[in-house]
Amino acid sequence: SAVISQKPSRDICQRGTSLTIQCQVDSQVTMMFWYRQQPGQSLTLIATANQGSEATYESGFVIDKFPISRPNLTFSTLTVSNMSPEDSSIYLCSARGSGELFFGEGSRLTVL
Amino acid sequence: GQQLNQSPQSMFIQEGEDVSMNCTSSSIFNTWLWYKQDPGEGPVLLIALYKAGELTSNGRLTAQFGITRKDSFLNISASIPSDVGIYFCAGLLSDSNYQLIWGAGTKLIIKP
């Protein structure tokens, strides 16, 4: 199994600022993903983080708002840009390894 | 788009009772996954199902992949307090990517 570490685990942010979430996997994985989980909701896929190329975004999510990096097979970042209270959510990193999908513990963002 | 209908939305049960929840869809899935999410944590994979009709157990948990490939259920026998949490089903439509379709979750609450 893969162990996924996310930082920060939680943060309180001011409106209009940006925050970058880091995701580190303890082994090389083929695919990494970023999800958003709004309060009381299920998970929504934001994008697939592609190593060495631009991320693939799902409908409703754009690179200007959620820029993603994936410089290698074990690390990715998600930035939530120009935050508003509507961006208050848990952001989850996940990775595919050994045919299974593993999740980090999530980063809980509160935007004031 | 594809949707998964997960029910029930929540369950209040007595310790020791058996629990059953299910997911249905109008789409055919290649894989069904069941996850549990504890408060403040990311989802953790409980059971993965890969073939129609497959019945798989993990301790007190049993899940089945429906023969029509459009549904799955999860049973928990003799529930204990640590079973509380939110259970999510997720389906994979294709093996070419790993974009899961998620159910809305079933919140399990054990009455004292």
Side-chain angles (χ1 to χ4, degrees), chain B residues 4-11 20-24 34 72-74 89 103-106:
Chain B
L4 283 183
N5 300 309
Q6 185 171 349
S7 65
Q9 197 172 40
S10 60
M11 302 181 72
S20 184
M21 60 191 79
N22 68 82
C23 280
T24 62
W34 285 93
S72 177
F73 71 75
L74 174 71
C89 65
T106 295

Side-chain angles (χ1 to χ4, degrees), chain B residues 1-106:
Chain B
Q2 296 86 9
Q3 286 187 329
L4 283 183
N5 300 309
Q6 185 171 349
S7 65
Q9 197 172 40
S10 60
M11 302 181 72
F12 291 79
I13 61 168
Q14 298 279 3
E15 184 177 348
E17 286 184 359
D18 296 343
V19 172
S20 184
M21 60 191 79
N22 68 82
C23 280
T24 62
S25 175
S26 58
S27 301
I28 292 175
F29 288 88
N30 277 0
T31 301
W32 283 93
L33 305 170
W34 285 93
Y35 287 86
K36 183 191 177 202
Q37 186 174 25
D38 291 325
E41 305 281 332
V44 174
L45 182 66
L46 298 174
I47 293 178
L49 303 161
Y50 301 105
K51 295 182 195 174
E54 181 180 352
L55 183 71
T56 298
S57 294
N58 177 5
R60 293 177 295 105
L61 277 61
T62 302
Q64 185 159 30
F65 192 145
I67 57 172
T68 65
R69 296 169 61 194
K70 295 182 179 181
D71 62 333
S72 177
F73 71 75
L74 174 71
N75 288 342
I76 305 172
S77 62
S79 57
I80 60 177
S82 61
D83 290 334
V84 299
I86 303 177
Y87 293 79
F88 290 101
C89 65
L92 182 63
L93 290 169
S94 164
D95 290 334
S96 62
N97 61 40
Y98 216 74
Q99 296 183 14
L100 295 174
I101 310 298
W102 291 83
T106 295

Side-chain angles (χ1 to χ4, degrees), chain A residues 31 33 35 37 41-43 45 48 58 90 92 96 99-101 103-106 108, chain B residues 33 35 37 39-45 50 88 95 97-100 102-105:
Chain A
M31 303 185 78
F33 306 91
Y35 285 85
Q37 186 176 27
Q41 304 287 320
S42 182
L43 284 71
L45 181 64
T48 302
E58 297 300 304
I90 299 172
L92 291 144
R96 183 182 184 184
E100 293 186 11
L101 191 67
F103 285 87
E105 294 184 347
R108 183 183 293 271
Chain B
L33 305 170
Y35 287 86
Q37 186 174 25
E41 305 281 332
V44 174
L45 182 66
Y50 301 105
F88 290 101
D95 290 334
N97 61 40
Y98 216 74
Q99 296 183 14
L100 295 174
W102 291 83

Side-chain angles (χ1 to χ4, degrees), chain A:
Chain A
S1 64
V3 176
I4 301 176
S5 303
Q6 275 186 243
K7 288 194 297 187
S9 59
R10 58 180 61 232
D11 208 340
I12 298 174
C13 308
Q14 296 297 323
R15 183 196 298 259
T17 63
S18 299
L19 182 78
T20 296
I21 303 167
Q22 297 181 1
C23 176
Q24 179 74 55
V25 189
D26 69 343
S27 58
Q28 292 187 344
V29 290
T30 51
M31 303 185 78
M32 293 182 73
F33 306 91
W34 286 97
Y35 285 85
R36 180 174 73 183
Q37 186 176 27
Q38 294 178 303
Q41 304 287 320
S42 182
L43 284 71
T44 301
L45 181 64
I46 297 172
T48 302
N50 300 311
Q51 194 244 334
S53 64
E54 193 171 285
T56 305
Y57 289 84
E58 297 300 304
S59 175
F61 298 96
V62 295
I63 188 171
D64 290 345
K65 177 67 176 177
F66 297 102
I68 288 170
S69 78
R70 190 177 172 194
N72 55 50
L73 292 175
T74 64
F75 185 78
S76 178
T77 67
L78 168 75
T79 299
V80 186
S81 303
N82 189 24
M83 287 185 283
S84 67
E86 292 72 34
D87 294 320
S88 298
S89 285
I90 299 172
Y91 292 86
L92 291 144
C93 169
S94 71
R96 183 182 184 184
S98 305
E100 293 186 11
L101 191 67
F102 300 95
F103 285 87
E105 294 184 347
S107 299
R108 183 183 293 271
L109 301 188
T110 302
V111 184
L112 302 179

